[in-house]
């Protein structure tokens, strides 16, 4: 869990410093992070180390855009989520590698 938290802390630092990113959420422990970006789907498609997945949690880093994946069927209801929401499960890879991967995806989006 310490490795997950170290990865998430590094990723959160990048996200909070990125102007187009908003609403960064991380409880301060674990690897679960969410944020909003107007080009959410493009970011998810451009990562190399974060694997696109609907189920989050594991030792590998995963990324999802809930509106287009897990929550598509509830669009228009009270359970709907914003289109620009991105969820991450930061794994135990080297934090600097995850930051570089996400930085690259953000800059290309």
């Amino acid at each position: 869990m310490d490795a997950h938290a170290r990865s998430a802390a590094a990723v959160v630092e990048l996200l909070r410093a990125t102007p187009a990113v908003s609403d960064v959420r991380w409880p301060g422990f674990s690897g679960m992070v969410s944020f909003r970006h107007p080009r959410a789907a493009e970011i998810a498609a451009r990562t190399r180390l974060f694997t696109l997945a609907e189920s989050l949690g594991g030792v590998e880093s995963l990324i999802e855009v809930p509106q287009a994946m897990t929550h598509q069927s509830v669009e228009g209801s009270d359970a709907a989520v914003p289109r620009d929401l991105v969820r991450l499960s930061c794994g135990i890879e080297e934090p600097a590698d995850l930051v570089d991967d996400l930085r690259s995806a953000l800059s290309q989006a």
Side-chain angles (χ1 to χ4, degrees), residues 9 13 26-27 40 42 44 51 55 63 67 70-72 77 85 90-92 94 99-100 102:
E13 185 176 336
W26 179 53
E42 287 181 49
T51 302
S55 175
I63 187 169
Q67 189 280 331
T70 57
H71 287 68
Q72 194 171 33
S77 76
L85 180 66
C90 299
I92 62 171
E94 180 62 38
V99 168
D100 288 344
L102 199 52

Side-chain angles (χ1 to χ4, degrees), residues 2-107:
D2 288 339
H4 289 285
R6 277 192 301 279
S7 294
V11 164
V12 165
E13 185 176 336
L14 166 70
L15 293 171
R16 289 186 174 151
T18 303
V21 171
S22 64
D23 199 18
V24 178
R25 296 185 185 221
W26 179 53
F29 58 89
S30 85
M32 302 307 294
V33 175
S34 68
F35 66 95
R36 295 177 70 175
H37 190 285
R39 296 181 174 236
E42 287 181 49
I43 292 166
R46 293 182 185 277
T47 58
R48 293 177 301 109
L49 296 179
F50 285 90
T51 302
L52 188 64
E54 288 188 354
S55 175
L56 301 180
V59 295
E60 67 281 346
S61 291
L62 305 170
I63 187 169
E64 87 163 315
V65 179
Q67 189 280 331
M69 299 169 73
T70 57
H71 287 68
Q72 194 171 33
S73 65
V74 295
E75 187 68 24
S77 76
D78 289 342
V81 296
R83 292 183 181 274
D84 63 350
L85 180 66
V86 178
R87 291 178 56 202
L88 303 173
S89 177
C90 299
I92 62 171
E93 300 91 346
E94 180 62 38
D97 293 340
L98 296 176
V99 168
D100 288 344
D101 184 38
L102 199 52
R103 181 183 292 119
S104 176
L106 286 162
S107 71

